Amino acid sequence: RLTDGNLNRHLKVLVDSGVLSVRKSGQGRNTNSLYKLTVRGRRAFERYLNALETILSAAKQSSGDSSTGQNRGGDGLSPAVG
């Protein structure tokens, strides 16, 4: 479970590292924060997705599974229902 305080800390770390940008508006208890992925953040996310694809591909090859995910859930990762 993620509390508001934990979420704020995680977001601050991502903003400080340049992965997210933040724009705050309002005052006091009525503040709003808008977080956006930066160019650097998008590149990091794409690298992360590529790494996951590599891991999944290697796992498929080691298990001898040559399917394309058509017999699974719509995302190709989840088991088929039914």
Side-chain angles (χ1 to χ4, degrees), residues 39-58:
V39 172
R40 179 179 179 177
R42 177 154 313 271
R43 278 191 238 133
F45 186 63
E46 288 172 354
R47 284 193 306 271
Y48 171 75
L49 290 178
N50 288 334
L52 285 179
E53 288 174 356
T54 300
I55 291 167
L56 290 172
S57 177

Side-chain angles (χ1 to χ4, degrees), residues 23-39:
R23 190 173 84 207
K24 296 186 178 197
S25 61
Q27 293 180 352
R29 294 187 148 262
N30 296 323
T31 59
N32 291 313
S33 301
L34 176 66
Y35 291 88
K36 288 187 176 183
L37 198 57
T38 62
V39 172

